[in-house]
Amino acid sequence: ENREKMIETLDEMQRMVEAALAFSRDEAAREAATKIDLGEFIDAIAEDYRDMGREVSVAPPPTRVVARFRPFSLKRALRNLIDNAVRYGEAADISVEARDEAVVIRIRDRGPGIPQERIDDVFDPFVRLEESRSEDTGGIGLGLSIARSIVQAHGGSLVLANHPEGGLEARITLPA
């Protein structure tokens, strides 16, 4: 009887997560796209973190990157990634560049990275590699799922990779 109740609860939680992810995706799709200077946009987000004493740096883009994005949802995705970088990797180093028909945003931390076999797993809802569940180290494992959902709603992709020089790098590629 307890087992059945637990399965029922887990099924309900799964439906709630799917609804939250669908909401994030729909919310991003409904928001009006606005022409923004991505370098200035990201620098303003980084400044908020620096004001809170977090180590977040932004490399000035080689050229001005102006394109149409949905600013509130994109900010939410970037904040989820930067939160992870400063929480698990002590700092976030961000860069932006324009390539042909795409814009690439890189957020690199200075932590240990993620075991290669677990990189795809962290996009699944409720998956956390840090198991302590302490309030100091994090949430419930939805941040990367939401970030990916928002980026995909922009027609882009979000990929994680261990950087050869250390740390984890999140790479967002968006259509320009």
Side-chain angles (χ1 to χ4, degrees):
E1 185 179 321
N2 285 341
R3 183 178 186 277
E4 287 178 26
K5 285 181 182 179
M6 287 173 49
I7 290 171
E8 205 172 286
T9 300
L10 290 172
D11 286 343
E12 183 178 339
M13 288 175 64
Q14 180 67 28
R15 287 190 299 275
M16 288 172 30
V17 167
E18 288 170 359
L21 293 174
F23 175 77
S24 293
R25 193 171 24 255
D26 293 345
E27 180 183 39
R30 279 194 312 265
E31 181 185 357
T34 306
K35 201 173 196 179
I36 59 173
D37 181 316
L38 203 51
E40 289 178 8
F41 181 76
I42 291 173
D43 197 49
I45 295 170
E47 187 63 32
D48 291 343
Y49 281 92
R50 290 190 291 267
D51 288 346
M52 294 184 292
R54 301 295 189 164
E55 192 173 338
V56 178
S57 66
V58 181
T63 59
R64 192 165 179 237
V65 180
V66 178
R68 297 183 75 77
F69 298 106
R70 297 175 187 100
F72 295 112
S73 58
L74 183 58
K75 183 183 235 180
R76 182 176 182 188
L78 291 170
R79 282 190 176 278
N80 285 351
L81 295 168
I82 295 168
D83 283 347
N84 282 352
V86 298
R87 180 178 295 133
Y88 302 112
E90 300 174 13
D93 300 314
I94 307 168
S95 65
V96 181
E97 66 178 298
R99 292 187 180 168
D100 299 325
E101 298 297 316
V103 173
V104 178
I105 304 166
R106 296 176 193 275
I107 302 169
R108 181 176 165 206
D109 68 35
R110 299 179 195 159
I114 294 177
Q116 191 63 40
E117 67 276 4
R118 299 292 313 269
I119 283 188
D120 290 332
D121 296 343
V122 296
F123 287 109
D124 292 338
F126 299 120
V127 171
R128 295 184 65 222
L129 298 184
E130 194 281 319
E131 298 295 331
S132 75
R133 290 273 189 203
S134 81
E135 291 180 14
D136 293 336
T137 58
I140 58 172
L142 288 175
L144 288 173
S145 298
I146 290 169
R148 180 180 259 181
S149 180
I150 290 169
V151 169
Q152 289 173 339
H154 276 83
S157 65
L158 169 58
V159 177
L160 299 178
N162 290 309
H163 195 278
E165 295 172 16
L168 185 71
E169 181 177 270
R171 185 179 68 243
I172 297 173
T173 305
L174 297 166

